[in-house]
Amino acid sequence: MNKYHRFVATAALTLALSPAWAQKFPGLADTPPMGWNSWNKFGCDISEKLIRETADAMVKNGLRDAGYVYVNLDDCWHGERDANGFIQADPVRFPSGIKALADYIHARGLKVGIYSDAGALTCGKRPGSQGHEYQDAQQYARWGIDYVKYDWCHTGEGKAQRNPVEAYTTMRDAIRAAGRPMILSICEWGDNKPWEWAADVGHLWRTTGDITHCWECEEGHGSWSSLGVLNILDKQSALRKYAKPGQWNDPDMLEVGLLPTAGENRAHFSMWAMLAAPLIFGADVPSMRQDTRDILANRDVIAVDQDRLGIQGFAFIRERGVEYWAKPLVNGEWAVAILNRTDEPKKIAHDWRKHAIGDDVSGRNADFNKTDYDIRDLWGGKAAGTTATPLNVTVAGRDIVMLRLSPRK
Ligand code: GAL
C-alpha cells in the first residue's frame, strides 16, 4: 500500500465507523446550490452595506425567485477573536455584526453563507478555524449561517501539512454538533481528490484552482494559477461519476457578467448547467446589466442544472473546436449543448439519426432511429422542430446552442 492508498483506506474506515450523528446534514443540496458570492468581483473589499444592497437587488431583479437563494460572504469579513476565542466580524466593515446581517438577509427570503479556512489563517490572512472548529461552527449557528465554504490556505507544507480528511471531517462534525443545518463547501482546489472521500463529509467540493474571467487562459500567481472557463471545463470529464444529489463537483463560481461578451457569458453559464455545477455567481448585483441578469435568470437553463436526477453531462462529439454535450434529464428527456470553443462561427449540420447518444455512467441512451424527440431551443426560448430531420444551425464564435429534447408520445 502506498501513501495515497493508505490515506484513502484510513478515510474510508473513519467514515464507516462514524456514529450516526457524525454525518453531514442531509437534504441540503439535493440539487446543486444556487446563489451569489462576494469573491469574484469584490475580493476582500466587502462590507455589510454591499451585502445588504446585494440581497435587496437579488429580490428586486428576480434572481432570488429564479432560485439564487444563498448570499455568501467570502474571505475578509473577519475581525479578531474575542477573549474567549469566539470569532467576531471586522468592526469597521461590519459594524452591526453578522447576526444582524443574517437577520436582514433571512427577512428577504434568502440564506446566508460564510467563509473560513482549515489553517491558522485564511488565504486573505484573516483568522482561520484550525483549533477553533467547534467554536466557529457554534458561532455561525448562533448567527444563523446556512452555508460554510471552507478553504485550504495556511494548512502547512509537505509532511507537516494538515490531513485533509481529518480537517474537513472535523468541520463537518463541528457543524453537526452546533445543531444548525449548514451546507459544507469543501475548497481544497481538488488537490487531495475530495471526490474519492468527501461524499459523506461535504455537499460540494472544488475540483480545480480558482476560476478567472477569461475564456481560455492560465494566469500564474507564483505557487498557483487561476484558470479560464475552458481550462476548467476540460478538467471535469473524469469526475462526472462522482456527482449525485447531495454531493457535487464544484468547478468554481460563475464569472457570468464578468466575461467580455454575451456569447461567452451564455456559453459559460450553459456549460456549468450541463455539468450540474453549483450556480454561485459573482457579478455586482446592484449595478447588474439587464443582459447579465437575463442570462442568469434563464429558467430553462437553470432547470437543466437543477434536474433532480443530478447526472453530470458529458461530451459525445468533439470536432473542429466544436463540442456536443449531453445530459440525461428526468422523464427520458435530454439536454444537448453545442459549444463553439473557437473565435469563428461554425455551421452545424447534425443528423441525429447518425449519432445515438449513450451514457455508461447513468446507463441512459437516446437512439434517434427508434424515438423522435421534440426540440426546444433554450436560448431562443422556442420550439425548434424534432430530431426526425437534421439540425442546421450556426453557432457564433465563443458561443453555444442549448437544446432540450423530449421524447414524442
Ligand atoms: C481561494 C478560493 C477562492 C476564494 C479565495 C479567498 O483559496 O479558492 O474561491 O475563496 O481563496 O481568499
Side-chain angles (χ1 to χ4, degrees):
M1 229 171 16
N2 67 23
K3 196 174 155 211
Y4 176 69
H5 287 127
R6 222 170 19 246
F7 161 80
V8 172
T10 315
L13 188 67
T14 312
L15 293 171
L17 297 177
S18 301
W21 57 265
Q23 284 173 10
K24 71 181 187 188
F25 271 104
L28 299 182
D30 290 344
T31 59
M34 292 175 63
W36 175 86
N37 173 293
S38 54
W39 185 254
N40 285 0
K41 170 78 186 169
F42 297 99
C44 274
D45 191 12
I46 58 173
S47 66
E48 64 181 40
K49 182 169 176 286
L50 168 75
I51 306 295
R52 282 201 301 255
E53 288 172 2
T54 299
D56 287 341
M58 285 169 72
V59 175
K60 199 161 162 228
N61 71 9
L63 288 180
R64 176 198 64 185
D65 292 344
Y68 298 92
V69 293
Y70 289 98
V71 177
N72 292 354
L73 282 63
D74 207 275
D75 206 349
C76 305
W77 59 268
H78 320 66
E80 299 300 321
R81 294 187 180 279
D82 70 12
N84 296 317
F86 284 99
I87 188 72
Q88 307 297 316
D90 179 326
V92 176
R93 289 174 172 268
F94 294 86
S96 317
I98 304 291
K99 172 79 171 73
L101 184 57
D103 289 349
Y104 186 93
I105 295 170
H106 287 145
R108 280 147 188 80
L110 293 159
K111 297 179 182 205
V112 195
I114 211 156
Y115 162 100
S116 189
D117 187 288
L121 297 173
T122 70
C123 301
K125 302 213 167 58
R126 306 307 198 268
S129 290
Q130 186 166 17
H132 291 274
E133 292 91 345
Y134 278 71
Q135 218 178 7
D136 285 356
Q138 198 183 352
Q139 183 78 315
Y140 302 158
R142 285 186 191 138
W143 286 342
I145 299 298
D146 307 295
Y147 185 120
V148 179
K149 173 175 169 182
Y150 204 45
D151 213 341
W152 192 239
C153 280
H154 302 284
T155 49
E157 300 289 333
K159 283 203 169 119
Q161 186 165 46
R162 210 171 163 188
N163 176 318
V165 181
E166 171 276 316
Y168 283 96
T169 307
T170 301
M171 187 43 103
R172 175 203 69 185
D173 292 348
I175 290 173
R176 199 67 208 231
R180 182 178 170 89
M182 295 183 238
I183 285 183
L184 179 56
S185 158
I186 296 177
C187 179
E188 52 70 84
W189 320 303
D191 284 2
N192 305 281
K193 302 189 178 160
W195 42 89
E196 291 184 351
W197 50 264
D200 296 322
V201 180
H203 301 87
L204 59 158
W205 48 77
R206 282 277 296 279
T207 56
T208 67
D210 289 8
I211 195 167
T212 187
H213 49 278
C214 75
W215 183 243
E216 185 165 23
C217 69
E218 191 163 342
E219 277 171 15
H221 306 274
S223 61
W224 63 285
S225 304
S226 46
L227 302 169
V229 169
L230 294 186
N231 308 69
I232 290 196
L233 177 65
D234 291 344
K235 295 180 190 292
Q236 306 307 314
S237 292
L239 307 180
R240 61 182 292 260
K241 64 175 188 228
Y242 299 102
K244 293 194 175 72
Q247 51 178 91
W248 306 104
N249 290 315
D250 174 7
D252 205 2
M253 301 178 288
L254 295 165
E255 296 280 359
V256 175
L258 304 172
L259 294 166
T261 67
E264 287 168 81
N265 286 305
R266 193 163 42 229
H268 167 37
F269 187 60
S270 304
M271 287 314 303
W272 263 229
M274 293 300 285
L275 292 173
L279 298 180
I280 310 283
F281 68 94
D284 180 19
V285 195
S287 72
M288 185 175 277
R289 285 170 34 173
Q290 188 66 30
D291 58 344
T292 300
R293 184 259 168 217
D294 291 348
I295 290 172
L296 290 167
N298 184 320
R299 284 174 196 254
D300 285 335
V301 177
I302 292 173
V304 169
D305 179 77
Q306 296 286 301
D307 184 85
R308 66 184 151 73
L309 294 183
I311 301 170
Q312 183 169 323
F314 57 98
F316 64 98
I317 298 175
R318 289 188 160 102
E319 61 185 17
R320 300 179 301 127
V322 176
E323 294 180 359
Y324 294 62
W325 284 68
K327 179 180 195 282
L329 306 175
V330 288
N331 302 325
E333 294 181 90
W334 290 81
V336 170
I338 305 173
L339 170 70
N340 182 356
R341 301 168 62 110
T342 75
D343 293 340
E344 307 303 327
K346 296 275 185 180
K347 269 203 166 140
I348 304 295
H350 180 70
D351 189 345
W352 300 97
R353 293 189 169 173
K354 291 197 178 132
H355 300 275
I357 305 174
D359 176 10
D360 0 318
V361 168
S362 69
R364 288 271 309 275
N365 56 73
D367 180 344
F368 301 101
N369 290 302
K370 292 200 180 123
T371 309
D372 287 332
Y373 293 73
D374 284 319
I375 303 176
R376 180 172 169 78
D377 171 0
L378 303 189
W379 288 109
K382 56 180 194 303
T386 76
T387 55
T389 51
L391 177 75
N392 285 298
V393 67
T394 299
V395 188
R398 300 191 178 193
D399 206 339
I400 200 159
V401 164
M402 192 165 172
L403 309 169
R404 187 177 183 115
L405 311 186
S406 312
R408 301 197 87 187
K409 299 279 160 359

